[in-house]
Amino acid sequence: MNSLATFMDWLKTSQKTVVLTGAGMSTESGIPDFRSSSGWWKNIDPHTVATVTALENKYDLFHEFYSMRLTGLEQCQPHDGHYILADWEKRGFIHSIATQNVDGFHTKAGNKHVQELHGSIQTFRCHQCNESSTKEAFIQKETCQECGGVLRPNVVLFGEALPEESWTITLKNIQQADLVIVIGTSLEVYPVNQLPTMTKGKTVYINKDANPNAAYFDLIIEGKAKETLQHMQTLL
Ligand SMILES: [Zn+2]
């Protein structure tokens, strides 16, 4: 059997399948992979802007960066690959998705069981007292109504811990899975890159490029997320 046929066989027979998605899932919606594309915005390395240090010491720059990302996101929509994963959940082929993406597109496409491991850029809070806020208030650069602190999106910044509940649920799902499908992640971001090693189930890596970090996967399928999922959908 070729690797695609093997994959389809595993997908159809697995009792519990977990999908883990990264930036490569969103690039086909037009969302740039800012973690890996340094220098695309004002010649500033995003690793220096998406940080607590920037939030606390260079708020203007931090605010401009996330306002730009939010404006960019308004032009983007989930693509066919997102909708195929929603269809697979509905039909019982997959049970949950854990994602490194903050765009909320898996939920928007219709998946019900989604863990956002790096948070969400669609919801906001006060950095100081955690009071929830709104996108409008953030864009308008308002301060917290409770304490006067600065507002921020609910994304996990470099140097911050992952949301504990999402991590715990994901870990449990992965440990119980008999198939883990990883789509469009470079496997470079700790600790999410550890997740595929924590299952006793089979592991499949789908990515547009070969990746030396993926050598331990049971199966590797090279291809872009959307077109690979579209092809798989015709075989299901
Ligand atoms: Zn506050």
Side-chain angles (χ1 to χ4, degrees):
M1 271 202 287
N2 65 31
S3 55
L4 199 58
T6 304
F7 173 82
M8 298 313 297
D9 183 50
W10 289 354
L11 181 67
K12 288 174 189 170
T13 55
S14 166
Q15 296 301 306
K16 182 159 185 176
T17 298
V18 177
V19 178
L20 179 63
T21 66
M25 187 75 204
S26 290
T27 46
E28 286 160 284
S29 283
I31 299 169
D33 176 7
F34 86 94
R35 280 176 185 258
S36 69
S37 50
S38 60
W40 62 271
W41 184 67
K42 291 189 163 193
N43 292 319
I44 292 170
D45 181 351
H47 291 76
T48 64
V49 189
T51 62
V52 178
T53 311
L55 168 60
E56 292 177 349
N57 302 309
K58 293 178 181 173
Y59 187 70
D60 287 348
L61 185 68
F62 177 90
H63 185 269
E64 197 184 342
F65 176 69
Y66 279 100
S67 299
M68 176 274 298
R69 291 198 65 202
L70 284 163
T71 308
L73 199 58
E74 281 168 10
Q75 328 291 324
C76 302
Q77 292 298 328
H79 58 65
D80 217 18
H82 291 102
Y83 289 104
I84 288 167
L85 290 180
D87 178 61
W88 287 6
E89 185 186 289
K90 207 171 162 188
R91 293 161 72 185
F93 290 115
I94 66 172
H95 296 79
S96 59
I97 294 181
T99 185
Q100 292 172 282
N101 301 330
V102 297
D103 48 52
F105 281 3
H106 287 301
T107 304
K108 202 171 179 182
N111 280 93
K112 305 281 184 232
H113 299 99
V114 181
Q115 299 303 323
E116 294 180 310
L117 296 170
H118 289 163
S120 167
I121 200 170
Q122 310 280 12
T123 60
F124 300 83
R125 72 173 190 268
C126 169
H127 179 55
Q128 202 163 287
C129 76
N130 288 328
E131 179 76 10
S132 64
S133 188
T134 62
K135 181 177 172 182
E136 291 68 34
F138 175 77
I139 295 282
Q140 296 298 321
K141 231 179 186 173
E142 290 172 16
T143 50
C144 173
Q145 292 186 334
E146 296 296 318
C147 76
V150 291
L151 303 181
R152 56 169 292 177
N154 278 322
V155 296
V156 176
L157 299 171
F158 287 106
E160 286 185 316
L162 303 195
E164 205 177 318
E165 194 189 349
S166 295
W167 177 260
T168 306
I169 293 170
T170 300
L171 194 56
K172 191 174 146 218
N173 286 338
I174 289 216
Q175 284 168 339
Q176 293 173 349
D178 41 28
L179 179 61
V180 175
I181 306 168
V182 177
I183 306 175
T185 156
S186 61
L187 298 166
E188 279 164 5
V189 182
Y190 181 86
V192 174
N193 61 357
Q194 301 301 304
L195 286 169
T197 68
M198 295 173 179
T199 185
K200 291 191 180 74
K202 294 186 173 74
T203 53
V204 180
Y205 182 70
I206 301 171
N207 200 45
K208 67 177 167 57
D209 304 312
N211 182 342
N213 298 328
Y216 64 87
F217 278 78
D218 295 315
L219 201 61
I220 294 175
I221 297 173
E222 272 183 50
K224 288 184 177 177
K226 183 175 79 172
E227 55 196 46
T228 305
L229 287 165
Q230 283 172 325
H231 187 194
M232 289 168 171
Q233 184 75 330
T234 65
L235 303 171
L236 204 58

